[in-house]
Amino acid sequence: MSKISINHLFKNYGNKEVLHDVSLSVNEGELVTLIGRSGSGKSTLIRCLNLLEAPSQGEIMFNDTKVDYTVNHQGNLTRRSETTLSGYRIKVGMVFQHFNLFPNRTVMENLVDGPRRILHMNSGKTAAKAINLLDMVDLLEHKDKYPSQLSGGQQQRVSIARALMMDPEVLLFDEPTSALDPEMVNDVLKVMVRLKKAGMTMIVVTHEMAFTEQASDRVLFLEDGEIHFEGSPAALQQESDESRVKKFINTLNHQVSV
């Protein structure tokens, strides 16, 4: 069953076309990774899926139902859309590159705020859920610390736990490890693998090729706002050395080896 999909999506910033006729369907429980050079449209695509960016044209489907949004003459979502889309955004969660935690709130406070304020969950249930999720991401002992007292990798795991507090059906990740020191990357990726094994539907923008090849069900390679490859990790490995996607991967490998 398709959990989330887009049909013929376009995104322009003024006269600049960033996404061109992109279509994608992700099934329940799938982990799909988006790879490509900086500026290829990956982050714009994932932000359009969460409607943090208003698509210029195209259709978004969630659980086989069209997502109803309205774009004004400036290309922005209207106030009506912002109101009606709140339920959609709860079900399609987002984990950002730079954590976006509230610096003046403890880890625990960062987790419980959303469910109490938006879902009207009672304090006892919210606290119990937060404890369980912090234990799942191996951060329970840090529940009373502030973000500034945590490493980057720990902050990113808190942001994943915070997204899970809203009971999303899909999680979007926008380069979740790119701001981390190398030794912190694996701790975040291990949490994402746990989520995959638990059946979470995920779409991940990443440059982590080992994770892409080992954890993905499908890989998409974007260039110039278009999908130039879509297939399994095994199919990715079989691509010709002269193909765009293989040249991109070789560039990454060269950067790592230097």
Side-chain angles (χ1 to χ4, degrees):
M1 171 185 171
S2 176
K3 196 69 182 171
I4 189 168
S5 61
I6 52 175
N7 300 309
H8 305 293
L9 194 79
F10 292 77
K11 175 60 181 177
N12 299 326
Y13 293 108
N15 294 324
K16 181 177 175 59
E17 187 178 63
V18 181
L19 294 174
H20 177 79
D21 198 17
V22 175
S23 294
L24 165 66
S25 182
V26 179
N27 295 325
E28 186 170 4
E30 266 196 307
L31 194 163
V32 174
T33 49
L34 308 180
I35 63 172
R37 296 177 177 82
S38 297
S40 61
K42 307 182 304 297
S43 291
T44 300
L45 174 56
I46 212 162
R47 289 176 65 85
C48 283
L49 276 168
N50 191 251
L51 285 169
L52 292 169
E53 298 279 358
S56 302
Q57 184 180 330
E59 180 181 72
I60 299 175
M61 304 286 291
F62 180 66
N63 287 335
D64 294 327
T65 300
K66 184 177 178 180
V67 178
D68 182 27
Y69 63 89
T70 303
V71 181
N72 62 22
H73 293 300
Q74 288 75 40
N76 301 316
L77 290 168
T78 66
R79 184 177 299 277
R80 170 182 169 274
S81 292
E82 288 291 349
T83 301
T84 58
L85 288 173
S86 59
Y88 169 75
R89 288 203 180 105
I90 289 170
K91 293 302 181 183
V92 182
M94 185 89 163
V95 177
F96 298 89
Q97 179 179 348
H98 293 292
F99 325 135
N100 290 6
L101 299 174
F102 296 113
N104 60 337
R105 299 181 186 177
T106 65
V107 166
M108 192 71 172
E109 290 168 343
N110 266 279
L111 263 65
V112 301
D113 178 69
R116 287 177 181 170
R117 183 168 46 85
I118 300 171
L119 301 180
H120 308 294
M121 191 183 294
N122 70 61
S123 296
K125 185 176 180 180
T126 307
K129 185 172 184 176
I131 292 293
N132 287 336
L133 286 172
L134 287 173
D135 187 41
M136 188 270 287
V137 299
D138 300 322
L139 289 173
L140 185 54
E141 64 188 272
H142 301 289
K143 66 183 179 66
D144 296 318
K145 291 182 179 179
Y146 290 89
S148 62
Q149 297 173 295
L150 304 177
S151 69
Q154 289 170 332
Q155 290 186 60
Q156 190 61 290
R157 283 183 280 154
V158 171
S159 70
I160 293 172
R162 182 178 63 178
L164 292 170
M165 287 291 295
M166 305 301 287
D167 285 329
E169 296 181 27
V170 178
L171 266 184
L172 310 174
F173 293 81
D174 188 9
E175 300 198 36
T177 61
S178 63
L180 304 180
D181 293 332
E183 63 268 21
M184 300 175 186
V185 169
N186 281 341
D187 289 337
V188 173
L189 296 180
K190 285 177 184 176
V191 170
M192 294 169 67
V193 169
R194 286 179 204 165
L195 292 175
K196 154 75 175 168
K197 290 179 179 178
M200 176 61 71
T201 306
M202 294 187 283
I203 305 173
V204 183
V205 174
T206 185
H207 287 293
E208 300 291 339
M209 290 309 302
F211 171 81
T212 296
E213 293 166 0
Q214 294 168 20
S216 301
D217 293 297
R218 277 187 294 142
V219 185
L220 276 68
F221 172 72
L222 271 73
E223 190 167 87
D224 299 327
E226 297 182 284
I227 297 174
H228 287 275
F229 170 89
E230 179 177 358
S232 67
L236 185 71
Q237 289 295 321
Q238 294 168 5
E239 278 286 288
S240 162
D241 286 339
E242 298 306 311
S243 71
R244 297 184 186 194
V245 61
K246 208 57 175 287
K247 286 179 180 178
F248 166 72
I249 294 172
N250 290 339
T251 299
L252 286 182
N253 292 337
H254 176 70
Q255 290 172 345
V256 169
S257 65
V258 167

